[in-house]
Amino acid sequence: MPGYPYGWIMAGGFFFLLVIALAIASPVVIKGYAKRVGENDVAELRVKALYGLIRFRYKIPIVKWKGLSLKVEEQVKATNAGIDTWEQFENEINKEKVERAIDKYKQILHLTRDLKGWAKDTLSRVELIQWNWTTSLGTGDAMWTAMATGAVWSIKTSILGLISQMVQLKSHPAMSVEPDYKHPSFTTEWSCIAQIRFGYAILAGLQLLARMKKWKGGIKTWQNILFRA
């Protein structure tokens, strides 16, 4: 029948465009969680994109001080279209590694045109839809506990104020600081959920690549800096 193949081609084209539109409009969901009770720490970051087809999980189940350095046990899990990959390793964070990280950041900032502007524009697309942060602390002395409680509350509100200037707050943040006047203690638990449209994330990545390529050496220079020992 005349025109029959063209009908299927058009239907296939519309279906393809629909899939692309749904992918662009889908959210990249980022979930963060951290908790400290006494000497026990745990932190976790989860990222989900394309309606769960792509998943990433980064977890720090153990954090220990070792002299002047911080020993961290890390676990990384990535899921792509149902295929899981796990990596587990230990890392030690010391003064030298922190100094190298700061030096790398300065070099990248110098090499990339208006990197701060790019970061500010990208973060403005992020929606913060949940923020919970509870803390309980005590020093063993009522007066010092009250002062410490006020100081922690001030730090929390300052951090939230800074974040609210960079991203879009979509719900009222929940925060609390409870004093423990009976004995020395410290417990804190934090969680948040943020999201950005997949289309915006892709666009931000393309913009970053374009800025990197404008500098002599481009992406290769970035790689040399980031993966240099």
Side-chain angles (χ1 to χ4, degrees):
M1 185 173 62
Y4 182 77
Y6 299 102
W8 278 107
I9 292 173
M10 290 181 64
F14 280 124
F15 178 76
F16 178 76
L17 290 175
L18 179 62
V19 170
I20 295 296
L22 289 173
I24 291 174
S26 68
V28 178
V29 181
I30 305 154
K31 295 183 179 180
Y33 176 81
K35 184 176 182 180
R36 179 178 178 85
V37 180
E39 298 298 322
N40 299 317
D41 302 272
V42 63
E44 184 176 273
L45 177 68
R46 292 173 179 252
V47 180
K48 182 176 71 174
L50 292 179
Y51 304 103
L53 289 176
I54 298 176
R55 294 174 181 264
F56 173 83
R57 180 185 176 193
Y58 176 76
K59 185 177 181 181
I60 303 178
I62 298 177
V63 179
K64 293 182 179 179
W65 284 101
K66 186 180 179 182
L68 296 177
S69 63
L70 195 65
K71 185 180 179 182
V72 180
E73 182 179 302
E74 300 167 280
Q75 297 176 350
V76 179
K77 179 181 181 180
T79 302
N80 191 348
I83 301 174
D84 293 344
T85 58
W86 267 101
E87 287 186 26
Q88 184 168 331
F89 51 92
E90 290 187 356
N91 194 12
E92 189 171 305
I93 302 172
N94 51 33
K95 179 183 176 183
E96 289 73 21
K97 286 190 176 181
V98 172
E99 289 177 346
R100 286 200 298 268
I102 294 174
D103 181 60
K104 288 180 180 180
Y105 167 75
K106 289 180 178 179
Q107 291 182 57
I108 288 174
L109 191 63
H110 174 71
L111 288 174
T112 310
R113 183 177 62 84
D114 194 22
L115 182 60
K116 289 183 178 180
W118 170 85
K120 183 179 179 181
D121 183 64
T122 302
L123 287 173
S124 69
R125 307 286 189 177
V126 176
E127 299 176 344
L128 187 62
I129 57 180
Q130 182 180 304
W131 179 277
N132 298 316
W133 193 357
T134 61
T135 302
S136 174
L137 75 157
T139 64
D141 180 85
M143 183 186 71
W144 285 107
T145 297
M147 293 177 64
T149 299
V152 171
W153 184 256
S154 177
I155 292 172
K156 283 189 174 187
T157 53
S158 297
I159 292 174
L160 183 59
L162 179 63
I163 291 174
S164 65
Q165 295 178 15
M166 297 187 292
V167 303
Q168 304 176 41
L169 293 181
K170 293 298 181 180
S171 64
H172 185 71
M175 295 196 302
S176 66
V177 182
E178 299 293 335
D180 183 357
Y181 294 110
K182 295 182 180 180
H183 48 75
S185 63
F186 181 79
T187 301
T188 189
E189 186 173 5
W190 166 86
S191 65
C192 83
I193 300 177
Q195 66 180 25
I196 182 174
R197 295 297 173 188
F198 186 76
Y200 287 139
I202 294 296
L203 179 61
L206 294 175
Q207 289 176 339
L208 181 59
L209 286 174
R211 291 169 188 263
M212 291 162 56
K213 288 182 177 180
K214 287 186 177 181
W215 190 267
K216 185 178 180 180
I219 298 175
K220 187 175 181 180
T221 303
W222 262 64
Q223 293 174 335
N224 291 337
I225 294 172
L226 289 175
F227 299 106
R228 186 175 58 202

